[in-house]
């Protein structure tokens, strides 16, 4: 047993046992007479939440002991280092900041899907495994949507790390997952500029300023910051939660596709908002009724990522039209939704395919143009739509992987030709394996393709891009 760290609320030990491999971490709260009860309550919260979490973005729970004897939590030891080690090297290159942002956004999306808001996102709580995957640690200040929030019930002050607290946390609302998006925006700003966007306030008045004040634009501190990254960071740091990214999944999708980010006035700012704009925000937050009414589930339901798997081959043109109509109807039910339009170029396993079409144009670019044209007829706002061309030997696997990696909530896909009696194998496999709701779309079966009582010949679904 080796002590690794003494924090403000707990001791961290490296522990081993004959029947336990590899070594684990034991966390024990610091409990002394007269101490602030926050350490005890936050430890209780982590004991409740950590065993419920699954996946690589949180440490694996091993065991725990309660306060009747000796309180402790034993969990997986994450090999790797925290982002705290990179702070001294800030400002970091844009490519590294972007990669970190994508990883943390994916981790947050996974956490939010499990009904948990972290509420203490900061460099020391963000770990990078040797394979580059992000793991979030320290759930003492977190909230689970289906468990009692002991911190909210027992304390009447903002709880968290000052520089990273969201405006709603300062207003003592712990129910909004967009608080984690705000904190991630602070982290990205800090890594990109070497400066905390709101300093390090220690008093309530200093904390409260971010309810109505925005930070200096990152480009004013780091001229290497491209407009699209300033757009993303300031979008995360909006004082009003409703103006931020609706979900971490949408944020990850933008960071992974910077060329498709729709730039607004945020991208062009060279200074913080005027005192008049700040005054208006101050007035609104002071005299408006509480905005904190919806649960995480309802917020996510209003801002899903919808994926349209589009086959634009000439033979499937009628089906593509029906697919577009279906996608349009789905998007109308959720005004905050994002539509990812995806098509697949099927390649051979030997990679001998020509990158050009019959007219000599780049096939990937041609497909991208075609997908964008297909999406344009939906009449959606540009910031609601992204277009993606995948190249894969297995179209079904590529579509399933895209849905999983981008936290897609619903996929819409054509089920095949109207003359086929069964769903083709590509659509059937996606329906069985996709990590989301799948809507299969097909043309109405025509009644005049074959005489009554006569069988119709069927053929297997060949997949996308043939």
């Amino acid at each position: 047993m080796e002590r690794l760290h003494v924090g403000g609320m707990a001791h961290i030990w490296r522990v081993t046992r004959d029947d336990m491999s590899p070594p684990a971490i034991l966390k024990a709260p610091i409990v002394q007479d007269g101490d602030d009860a926050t350490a005890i309550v936050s430890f209780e919260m982590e004991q409740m939440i950590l065993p419920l979490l699954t996946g690589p973005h949180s440490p694996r729970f091993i065991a725990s002991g309660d306060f009747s004897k000796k309180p402790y939590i034993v969990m997986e030891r994450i090999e790797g280092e925290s982002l705290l080690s990179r702070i001294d090297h800030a400002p970091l290159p844009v490519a590294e900041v972007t990669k970190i942002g994508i990883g943390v956004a994916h981790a947050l999306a996974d956490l939010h899907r499990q009904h948990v808001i972290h509420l203490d996102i900061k460099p020391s709580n963000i770990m990078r495994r040797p394979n580059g995957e992000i793991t979030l640690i320290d759930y003492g200040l977190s909230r689970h949507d289906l468990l009692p929030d002991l911190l909210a019930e027992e304390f009447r002050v903002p709880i968290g790390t000052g520089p990273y607290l969201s405006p709603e946390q300062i207003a003592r609302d712990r129910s909004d997952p967009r608080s984690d998006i705000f904190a991630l925006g602070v982290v990205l700003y800090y890594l990109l500029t070497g400066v905390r966007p709101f300093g390090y306030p220690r008093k309530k008045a200093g904390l409260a300023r971010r309810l109505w004040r925005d930070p200096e634009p990152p480009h004013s501190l780091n001229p290497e910051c491209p407009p699209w990254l300033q757009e993303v960071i300031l979008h995360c740091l909006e004082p009003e939660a409703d103006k931020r990214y609706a979900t971490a999944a949408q944020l990850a999708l933008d960071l992974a596709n910077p060329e498709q980010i729709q730039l607004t006035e945020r991208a062009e700012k060279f200074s913080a908002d005027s005192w008049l704009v700040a005054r208006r925000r101050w007035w609104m937050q002071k005299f408006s009724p509480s905005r904190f009414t919806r649960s995480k589930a309802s917020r996510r339901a209003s801002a899903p990522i919808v994926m349209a798997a589009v086959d634009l081959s000439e033979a499937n043109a009628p089906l593509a039209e029906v697919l577009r109509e279906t996608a349009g109807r789905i998007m109308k039910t959720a005004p905050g939704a994002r539509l990812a339009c995806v098509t697949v170029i099927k390649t051979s396993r030997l990679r001998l395919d020509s990158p050009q079409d019959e007219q000599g144009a780049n096939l990937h670019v041609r497909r991208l143009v075609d997908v964008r044209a297909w999406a344009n007829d939906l009449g959606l706002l540009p910031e609601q739509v992204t277009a993606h061309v995948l190249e894969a030997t297995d179209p079904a696997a590529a579509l399933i992987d895209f849905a999983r990696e981008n936290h897609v909530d619903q996929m819409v896909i054509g089920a095949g030709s109207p003359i086929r009696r069964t769903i083709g194998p590509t659509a059937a496999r996606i329906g069985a394996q996709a990590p989301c709701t799948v809507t299969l779309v097909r043309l109405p079966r025509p009644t005049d393709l074959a005489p009554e009582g006569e069988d119709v010949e069927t053929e297997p679904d060949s997949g996308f891009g043939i």
Side-chain angles (χ1 to χ4, degrees):
M1 191 168 179
E2 173 191 1
R3 187 162 64 182
L4 300 177
H5 177 71
V6 179
M9 294 187 179
H11 295 276
I12 305 295
W13 302 79
R14 178 182 180 270
V15 294
T16 59
R17 201 169 64 184
D18 292 341
D19 62 346
M20 184 173 62
S21 177
I25 291 293
L26 185 147
K27 183 175 184 178
I30 299 174
V31 182
Q32 299 176 352
D33 291 340
D35 271 0
D36 188 344
T38 306
I40 298 173
V41 178
S42 66
F43 191 80
E44 290 181 295
M45 290 301 302
E46 188 160 25
Q47 279 189 318
M48 289 193 298
I49 291 173
L50 192 58
L52 302 178
L53 297 177
T54 61
H57 300 303
S58 58
R60 180 174 58 86
F61 171 80
I62 297 174
S64 68
D66 61 28
F67 282 90
S68 64
K69 295 181 180 179
K70 182 68 176 178
Y72 66 88
I73 301 174
V74 180
M75 67 190 81
E76 169 194 9
R77 181 184 181 186
I78 307 300
E79 299 296 336
E81 60 181 11
S82 76
L83 287 189
L84 195 60
S85 64
R86 299 297 295 149
I87 290 298
D88 291 339
H89 300 278
L92 302 182
V94 168
E96 183 177 357
V97 174
T98 303
K99 185 176 181 180
I100 290 170
I102 293 171
V104 179
H106 280 309
L108 288 175
D110 184 48
L111 197 66
H112 295 167
R113 283 178 179 272
Q114 298 183 63
H115 304 285
V116 174
I117 314 173
H118 192 281
L119 296 174
D120 198 20
I121 295 297
K122 57 185 178 182
S124 59
N125 286 340
I126 300 170
M127 301 286 295
R128 281 196 288 191
R129 296 179 185 266
N131 65 359
E133 202 158 33
I134 294 292
T135 296
L136 306 176
I137 63 172
D138 196 349
Y139 292 85
L141 303 185
S142 300
R143 169 175 175 153
H144 194 294
D145 207 27
L146 307 179
L147 296 174
D149 186 359
L150 303 181
L151 289 165
E153 293 173 0
E154 298 185 29
F155 301 99
R156 297 293 178 266
V157 295
I159 297 175
T161 306
Y164 304 92
L165 283 172
S166 69
E168 49 275 15
Q169 283 177 273
I170 294 168
R172 293 184 42 248
D173 174 70
R174 291 171 39 83
S175 67
D176 198 327
R178 294 171 297 186
S179 292
D180 287 342
I181 293 174
F182 184 93
L184 176 52
V186 176
V187 171
L188 297 181
Y189 187 108
Y190 195 6
L191 294 175
L192 183 67
T193 66
V195 176
R196 294 186 179 94
F198 304 101
Y200 205 130
R202 300 181 184 275
K203 296 183 179 179
K204 189 174 181 180
L207 290 171
R209 280 178 54 84
R210 75 191 64 169
L211 272 71
W212 56 85
R213 287 302 302 174
D214 61 321
E216 292 295 322
H219 186 270
S220 66
L221 300 173
N222 181 357
E224 299 299 318
C225 175
W228 63 263
L229 187 53
Q230 175 162 300
E231 173 75 33
V232 168
I233 292 175
L234 294 185
H235 197 176
C236 293
L237 294 177
E238 284 283 355
E240 299 174 50
D242 285 344
K243 293 184 178 180
R244 288 178 221 145
Y245 282 97
T247 66
Q250 291 190 2
L251 169 58
L253 191 63
D254 263 6
L255 283 169
N257 299 275
E259 74 285 353
Q260 300 195 51
I261 294 173
Q262 297 298 314
L263 303 183
T264 70
E265 69 279 358
R266 298 186 194 100
E268 301 174 356
K269 291 180 65 172
F270 285 94
S271 61
D273 289 333
S274 69
W275 68 268
L276 188 60
V277 173
R279 179 73 177 179
R280 188 181 305 120
R281 288 199 195 104
W282 175 86
W283 185 269
M284 291 295 294
Q285 72 85 25
K286 187 174 181 63
F287 296 104
S288 294
S290 175
R291 307 183 300 274
F292 314 125
T293 56
R294 293 190 296 160
S295 69
K296 291 195 295 296
S298 65
R299 289 189 184 104
R300 185 177 157 218
S302 67
I305 292 183
V306 180
M307 173 181 169
V310 188
D311 183 355
L312 294 175
S313 59
E314 186 175 347
N316 279 308
L319 187 59
E321 179 61 32
V322 176
L323 188 76
R324 180 166 50 206
E325 293 173 0
T326 303
R329 287 196 299 270
I330 293 171
M331 293 295 290
K332 287 179 180 178
T333 65
R338 289 280 293 272
L339 179 64
C341 306
V342 184
T343 193
V344 183
I345 298 174
K346 187 174 181 180
T347 59
S348 70
R349 297 189 184 279
L350 297 178
R351 296 288 181 183
L352 299 177
D353 307 80
S354 171
Q356 298 178 331
D357 62 16
E358 295 176 354
Q359 287 74 42
N362 183 283
L363 187 57
H364 191 107
V365 173
R366 176 65 181 272
R367 287 289 179 84
L368 186 62
V369 171
D370 290 345
V371 172
R372 289 187 183 279
W374 179 88
N376 285 342
D377 288 342
L378 285 165
L380 299 172
L381 297 174
E383 60 268 24
Q384 287 184 278
V385 184
T386 53
H388 310 268
V389 178
L390 312 179
E391 297 185 23
T393 58
D394 186 341
L399 294 170
I400 292 169
D401 288 345
F402 183 93
R404 180 179 296 109
E405 293 169 3
N406 291 282
H407 307 281
V408 169
D409 296 286
Q410 182 172 1
M411 186 193 306
V412 188
I413 184 171
S417 166
I419 67 171
R420 295 176 185 161
R421 297 291 191 185
T422 60
I423 296 172
T426 297
R429 181 176 163 198
I430 289 172
Q433 299 180 16
C436 60
T437 299
V438 177
T439 299
L440 296 173
V441 177
R442 68 186 311 159
L443 293 173
R445 186 184 300 276
T447 58
D448 57 349
L449 289 180
E452 186 175 353
E454 184 175 319
D455 289 336
V456 178
E457 182 181 356
T458 64
E459 50 185 275
D461 184 3
S462 58
F464 280 55
I466 301 300

